[in-house]
């Protein structure tokens, strides 16, 4: 039931990355040629024979011949034809792959082709499920039953229509001859396995959000667009670029450092929550966890940036700095971050406090930056904006990186936490357990609770890191003497 | 009563929509032919007539302000049924235009998709038109004139739908269905007739379902064979006795 209005439709309707469908259609039509196409045979069921079945190896041989590619590529192409739904397998109908042997395939009706415009509709799926319900006398597969219940709830206003239409389509289908009925059922089933795949199956129809522009349309580039393109390219030529030897070297270094930490390249310990629906990985790597995982601790040693961006690492660094009584650098860096990311109204107040605490001569937590930067920053603080502390912040960051960071890595604090760090075992779920995991997914911690925890943390750190009065400390030490 | 009339007309529209869908699915495949295109045209015309009749009836009923609340709810439900049918019909018509343009019939080299469907769709169309046999006219310009007509019909239908939405204020999401989940199983259908169809389709499905279907059919065939054997045995015994007697 589409809601119509008199206004023109400016919505986003075009699926990206589906341009290949037009080209595939041409190839499928060429395959039908009685002389130069693929040769078919007949399929014998109980008493009926149904024509137009094709063996997988025949199709792959035809593709290899036509496109002049090696058989492996033709095999992949064949699998794509099946995965997009132009050809469907008769045996093992849930696996949408093309096998290079005598397994049988048939072509899908043009009505069921995955064209760009007609997306598989939920109400159509509901009608199909109702029809299947009638044929199977109530025994739908579990994922189908789940879909059915869901659609019954959300399409409830149309449910009468769906039931009526399903019974009518079923009755009309019985008017056809038996072989045609069998073929029609197979076609519909293949179409819906493609468009509503069962759990944990990969679907070729996965594409991103829909776009505004029709990719099948020819683009007409105007004179003004050409002019702008020329300007852009001319400016791009004049920019100075990094030599590829340098940038590629940096890329190689990055890859060698991070390759064990990338969840695409190395298995995630204990298990990737997106694949196994078990969120131990996330709970072990939370911000406020007592004992971090070994991978996390190893990541802190890569660079100071990694250490500071991971909030748990930052806490650990703070503990170390407290022991060394050199926490003002990090405190200044954090305050500058707060100024950068904070609200506009609080900026002048924050700038004041930062000046008083860190930059004024004789301040309680005076940071040691060079004279020129100090001068620039103090002048800038008269009219504070977000990036007024950028120069000082970078300087402090470099100081920390060159000096404190390496001391931290050699310190007993770090070594201690390295020893304590957890190394969780890889999960090994059986398919039944995976199903159960999928059904028992919890919504996780409520964001309000997380926010409250963060507020408590902030209050604690604010109380703990009240400016350490250097003079008071010095006097205490003097008194001890 | 207006309601009963409406319901019968909606049932008819529903039937025609279902048959039209079956016909459109056969387009472009090897069961496509001149006859099919003609069947499509006739079914379309019938659907349009029914649609117009339904629309006038329902709009007149809904515009009536002097009806009770239950009646109004019932009419809104019928309205949702009607507009969903029309949506389906419109989509099918647009798709038949596309597929019809892609697979023209009057060209020297026809490349129809070998889907395995080879039978004719005459019976489906006859069901839609509620006639016993379909008679065809030999229309020669099935590719051009027919598609032109189809385009104009599609625009007609779209305009009708837009008018409907503007004139009648019905909130489709407020309608509650009368049927509960699984209602289609209880509808009065001759399920017994379809058992033969069920058996052969089951054979195409993977092993475990085949086993279940096979078990049932096996049992039925065993019973039939056992009955046959018993009858033959009884006949042989009686014949033997008769021969012995005489």
């Amino acid at each position: 039931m589409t809601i119509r209005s008199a206004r023109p439709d400016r919505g986003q309707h075009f699926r990206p990355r589906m341009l290949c469908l037009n080209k595939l259609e041409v190839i499928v039509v060429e395959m039908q040629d009685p002389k130069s196409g693929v040769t078919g045979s007949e399929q014998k069921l109980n008493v009926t024979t149904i024509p137009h079945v094709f063996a997988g190896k025949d199709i792959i041989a035809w593709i290899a011949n036509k496109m002049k590619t090696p058989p492996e590529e033709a095999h992949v192409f064949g699998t794509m034809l099946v995965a997009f739904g132009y050809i469907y397998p008769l045996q093992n109908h849930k696996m949408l792959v093309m096998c290079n042997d005598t397994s049988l395939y048939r072509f899908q009706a043009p009505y069921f082709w995955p064209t760009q415009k007609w997306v598989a509709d939920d109400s159509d799926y509901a009608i199909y499920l109702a029809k299947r319900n009638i044929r199977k006398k109530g025994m739908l597969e579990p994922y189908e039953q789940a879909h059915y219940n869901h659609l019954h709830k959300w399409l409830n206003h149309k449910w009468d229509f769906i039931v009526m239409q399903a019974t009518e389509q079923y009755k009309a289908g019985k008017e056809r001859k038996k072989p045609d009925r069998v073929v029609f059922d197979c076609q519909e089933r293949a179409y819906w396995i493609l468009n509503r795949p069962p759990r944990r199956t990969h679907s070729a129809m996965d594409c991103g959000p829909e776009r505004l522009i029709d990719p099948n349309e020819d683009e007409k580039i105007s004179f003004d667009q050409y002019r702008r393109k020329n300007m852009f390219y001319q400016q791009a030529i004049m920019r100075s670029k990094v030599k590829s030897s340098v940038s590629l070297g940096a890329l190689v270094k990055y890859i060698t450092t991070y390759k064990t930490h990338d969840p695409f390249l190395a298995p995630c310990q204990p298990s990737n929550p997106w694949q196994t629906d078990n969120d131990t990985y996330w709970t072990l790597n939370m911000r406020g966890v007592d004992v971090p995982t070994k991978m996390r601790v190893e990541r802190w040693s890569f660079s100071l940036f990694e250490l500071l961006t991971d909030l748990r690492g930052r806490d650990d660094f703070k503990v170390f700095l407290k022991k060394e009584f050199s926490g003002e650098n990090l405190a200044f860096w954090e305050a500058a971050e707060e100024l950068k990311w904070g609200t506009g109204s609080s900026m002048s107040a924050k700038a004041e406090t930062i000046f008083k605490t860190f930059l004024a001569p004789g301040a309680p937590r005076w940071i040691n930056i060079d004279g020129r930067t100090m001068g620039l920053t103090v002048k800038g603080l008269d009219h504070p904006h977000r990036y007024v502390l950028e120069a000082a912040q970078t300087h402090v960051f470099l100081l920390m990186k060159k000096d404190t960071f390496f001391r931290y890595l050699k310190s007993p604090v770090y070594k201690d936490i390295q020893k304590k760090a957890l190394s969780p075992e890889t999960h090994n779920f059986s398919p039944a357990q995976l199903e159960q995991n999928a059904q028992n997914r919890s919504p996780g911690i409520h964001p309000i609770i997380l926010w409250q925890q963060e507020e408590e943390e902030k209050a604690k750190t604010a109380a703990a890191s009240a400016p350490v009065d250097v003079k008071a400390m010095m006097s205490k030490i003097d008194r001890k003497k | 009563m207006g309601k009963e009339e409406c319901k019968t007309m909606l049932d008819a529209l529903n039937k025609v929509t279902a048959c039209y869908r079956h016909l459109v699915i056969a387009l472009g495949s090897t069961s496509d032919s001149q006859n099919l295109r003609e069947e499509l045209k006739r079914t379309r015309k019938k659907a349009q007539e029914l649609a117009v009749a339904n629309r006038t009836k329902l709009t007149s009923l809904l515009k009536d302000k002097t009806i009770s609340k239950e009646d109004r709810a019932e009419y809104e439900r019928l309205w949702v049924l009607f507009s969903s049918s029309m949506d389906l019909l419109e989509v099918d018509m647009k798709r038949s235009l596309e597929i019809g343009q892609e697979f023209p019939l009057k060209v020297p080299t026809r490349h129809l998709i070998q889907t395995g469907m080879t039978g004719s769709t005459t019976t489906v169309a006859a069901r839609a038109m509620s006639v016993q046999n379909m008679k065809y006219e030999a229309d020669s310009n099935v590719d051009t004139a027919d598609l032109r007509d189809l385009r104009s019909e599609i625009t007609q239908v779209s305009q009708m739908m837009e008018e409907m939405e503007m004139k009648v204020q019905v909130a489709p999401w407020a309608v509650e269905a009368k049927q509960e989940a699984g209602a289609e199983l209880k509808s009065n259908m001759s399920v017994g007739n379809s058992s033969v169809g069920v058996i052969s389709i089951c054979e195409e499905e993977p092993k475990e379902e085949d086993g279940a279907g096979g078990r049932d059919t096996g049992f039925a065939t065993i019973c039939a064979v056992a009955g046959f054997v018993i009858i033959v045995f009884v006949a042989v015994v009686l014949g033997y006795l008769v021969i012995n007697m005489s």
Side-chain angles (χ1 to χ4, degrees), chain A residues 111 136 148 160 165 186, chain B residues 14 77 95 184 204 209:
Chain A
Y111 185 83
K136 293 254 175 194
Y148 183 86
D160 290 341
Q165 185 65 218
C186 290
Chain B
N14 198 32
R77 192 181 74 92
R95 287 187 89 153
E184 60 271 6
E204 299 232 310
E209 297 182 48

Side-chain angles (χ1 to χ4, degrees), chain A residues 302-313:
Chain A
F302 289 159
S303 76
L304 181 64
F305 178 74
E306 286 285 340
L307 180 65
L308 291 183
T309 35
D310 191 355
L311 294 171
R312 180 71 183 78

Side-chain angles (χ1 to χ4, degrees), chain A residues 450-462:
Chain A
L450 281 177
W451 177 81
Q452 281 173 341
Q453 283 178 344
E454 267 180 50
E455 293 287 300
E456 281 171 32
E457 286 283 334
K458 265 195 244 175
K460 256 197 276 176
T461 46

Side-chain angles (χ1 to χ4, degrees), chain A residues 12 38-39 181-182 288 303 315 378 387 437 448-449:
Chain A
Q12 291 163 286
V38 195
T39 41
R181 254 188 286 155
V182 175
S303 76
D315 290 341
V378 172
Y387 302 103
N437 282 351
I448 291 185
I449 299 180

Side-chain angles (χ1 to χ4, degrees), chain A residues 222-480:
Chain A
S222 65
F223 173 77
D224 187 53
Q225 277 178 302
Y226 276 122
R227 189 180 63 92
R228 286 177 177 210
K229 271 192 181 184
N230 277 337
M231 270 170 44
F232 177 80
Y233 290 132
Q234 281 168 354
Q235 287 175 347
I237 292 171
M238 290 194 294
R239 267 180 237 139
S240 63
K241 299 175 193 45
V242 178
K243 272 207 273 192
S244 46
S245 54
V246 173
S247 60
L248 287 175
L251 191 64
V252 167
K253 193 164 150 212
Y254 181 87
I255 293 174
T256 39
T257 335
Y258 283 89
K259 70 180 174 200
T260 40
H261 290 261
D262 191 315
F264 279 116
L265 299 175
C268 198
Q269 306 293 6
S271 62
N272 194 333
W274 296 112
Q275 287 177 338
T276 56
D277 290 318
N278 177 296
D279 55 2
T280 319
Y281 177 72
W282 289 330
T283 42
L284 286 178
N285 281 318
M286 276 180 53
R287 189 234 192 279
V289 77
D290 266 334
V291 186
T293 53
K294 267 208 164 50
M295 298 294 281
R296 204 176 182 185
V297 174
E298 196 188 318
R299 211 177 166 134
W300 297 342
S301 68
F302 289 159
S303 76
L304 181 64
F305 178 74
E306 286 285 340
L307 180 65
L308 291 183
T309 35
D310 191 355
L311 294 171
R312 180 71 183 78
R314 215 193 278 187
D315 290 341
D316 222 43
F317 196 46
K318 267 190 229 169
V319 167
F320 166 72
L321 289 175
K322 201 155 180 195
K323 290 206 177 134
E324 304 247 315
F325 298 108
S326 52
E328 69 269 5
N329 280 340
L330 184 60
F332 176 72
W333 187 86
E334 277 196 325
E337 282 286 295
E338 245 182 80
L339 183 70
K340 260 203 300 198
W341 297 103
T343 61
S345 46
S346 60
M347 261 199 312
S348 42
K350 278 193 197 152
E352 274 288 326
T353 42
I354 290 175
F355 179 71
K356 265 195 252 160
T357 328
F358 295 103
L359 298 170
R365 307 190 83 178
W366 189 75
I367 51 170
N368 197 356
I369 50 180
D370 65 303
R372 214 191 93 207
T373 325
M374 180 67 95
L376 279 171
T377 316
V378 172
K379 218 163 45 151
L381 277 174
D382 287 333
H383 305 280
H385 57 92
R386 252 174 230 284
Y387 302 103
V388 64
L389 296 172
E390 186 73 29
Q393 192 185 11
T394 330
H395 191 244
V396 158
F397 186 83
L398 285 174
L399 278 178
M400 284 199 286
K401 188 164 116 163
K402 294 200 170 122
D403 179 36
T404 336
F405 180 57
F406 291 111
R407 273 193 288 137
Y408 167 72
L409 288 181
K410 295 192 197 110
S411 72
V413 175
Y414 183 68
K415 293 212 187 316
D416 192 33
I417 206 144
Q418 256 185 327
K419 265 189 273 191
K420 274 206 292 188
L422 298 171
S423 188
E425 279 178 9
T426 326
H427 282 153
N428 207 350
F429 290 123
S430 67
Q433 277 173 312
L434 285 176
E435 273 286 343
Q436 235 194 349
N437 282 351
Q439 281 164 3
N440 298 345
R441 281 193 284 203
S442 64
I445 305 183
H446 200 275
I448 291 185
I449 299 180
L450 281 177
W451 177 81
Q452 281 173 341
Q453 283 178 344
E454 267 180 50
E455 293 287 300
E456 281 171 32
E457 286 283 334
K458 265 195 244 175
K460 256 197 276 176
T461 46
S465 68
V468 174
D469 205 345
V470 178
K471 289 201 186 118
M473 284 301 306
M474 292 305 294
S475 53
K476 244 204 256 173
I477 295 171
D478 280 333
R479 256 186 271 133
K480 270 203 186 147

